[in-house]
Amino acid sequence: DAKTTQPPSMDCAEGRAANLPCNHSTISGNEYVYWYRQIHSQGPQYIIHGLKNNETNEMASLIITEDRKSSTLILPHATLRDTAVYYCIVHSGNTGKLIFGQGTTLQVKP
Amino acid sequence: DAGVIQSPRHEVTEMGQEVTLRCKPISGHNSLFWYRQTMMRGLELLIYFNNNVPIDDSGMPEDRFSAKMPNASFSTLKIQPSEPRDSAVYFCASSSTPKPYEQYFGPGTRLTVT
């Protein structure tokens, strides 16, 4: 699976959009981009995934660049409950063998 | 739906003792995953099962670790003998075909080996 690079930490003001970047320059054509988050003391939670088109669900939006070498997870109106570690994972999707990196710690501040 | 259930939530044991962690996946899910999380190594996949059959155990640290899934609704992760370096949070997760990547995690078991 392709390696991902994320900033270790980010801050965001409550009510503002949180934009979390991820670089995956070695992604293969059949690999998807997945995002999970882990709130303190809980298990990780699936957020969203995409292949090449932008995706949106009730939790977030995923923007993937045209060359697929990077992506951005957008939380449109961050709340204090969105404070968590966010993991970007690249995987072919045919198995469940996900490799979690160190992720980005997002701190939403009042 | 009850979600993934793990027990115990906390376990404190002495070095050399046997430890058994338990997991009940979400009903209808056919894949089950065991992860370990530490500050130093992050979240690591230990083993995963598909339709009760172990598919990949390459993440299991050593022979002291074993996992079983006797039926679709129950799995165990056993450590025998336990060592202080096994102290970690152990998560169980489950998913269903055709979305093996959409995993639902349990609350975890915090293991402390003294």
Side-chain angles (χ1 to χ4, degrees), chain A residues 6-100:
Chain A
Q6 299 178 253
S9 64
M10 293 181 63
D11 289 342
C12 177
E14 187 178 19
R16 304 298 295 269
N19 297 281
L20 294 100
C22 180
N23 286 321
H24 33 78
S25 58
T26 60
I27 191 170
S28 300
N30 66 337
E31 290 180 318
Y32 291 73
V33 180
Y34 302 91
W35 283 84
Y36 275 73
R37 74 178 182 183
Q38 185 174 21
I39 296 171
H40 183 60
S41 298
Q42 298 182 21
Q45 176 191 24
Y46 165 82
I47 301 173
I48 198 169
H49 76 281
L51 182 63
K52 56 182 179 180
N53 298 320
N54 299 337
E55 303 287 345
T56 296
N57 64 19
E58 66 279 4
M59 291 184 67
S61 295
L62 175 60
I63 308 298
I64 302 174
T65 58
E66 191 170 345
D67 64 6
R68 303 209 324 122
K69 293 185 177 181
S70 65
S71 60
T72 301
L73 180 74
I74 301 172
L75 309 178
H77 305 286
T79 70
L80 298 179
R81 288 173 295 182
D82 292 321
T83 292
V85 178
Y86 287 77
Y87 298 99
C88 171
I89 303 166
V90 172
H91 181 53
S92 63
N94 58 348
T95 74
K97 189 172 181 179
L98 302 177
I99 308 299
F100 288 81

Side-chain angles (χ1 to χ4, degrees), chain B residues 1-96:
Chain B
D1 202 351
V4 175
I5 299 172
Q6 292 187 246
S7 65
R9 294 292 310 277
H10 301 272
E11 177 79 33
V12 180
T13 190
E14 292 184 348
M15 182 175 62
Q17 297 298 305
E18 177 179 297
V19 175
T20 299
L21 311 181
R22 298 172 176 79
C23 176
K24 177 179 171 57
I26 292 173
S27 177
H29 281 188
N30 61 340
S31 294
L32 183 138
F33 308 83
W34 282 102
Y35 290 85
R36 177 174 69 176
Q37 187 169 37
T38 62
M39 288 294 293
M40 290 296 294
R41 300 177 66 88
L43 189 63
E44 304 173 280
L45 176 65
L46 300 178
I47 185 171
Y48 77 92
F49 296 82
N50 192 42
N51 294 324
N52 311 337
V53 176
I55 302 300
D56 189 331
D57 65 354
S58 59
M60 295 286 265
E62 49 197 273
D63 292 345
R64 297 185 298 106
F65 285 69
S66 62
K68 294 182 179 180
M69 192 163 187
N71 57 62
S73 59
F74 184 65
S75 176
T76 60
L77 179 67
K78 185 177 294 186
I79 308 172
Q80 165 64 18
S82 59
E83 297 182 2
R85 59 190 168 131
D86 302 331
S87 296
V89 180
Y90 291 81
F91 289 104
C92 175
S94 69
S95 67
S96 64

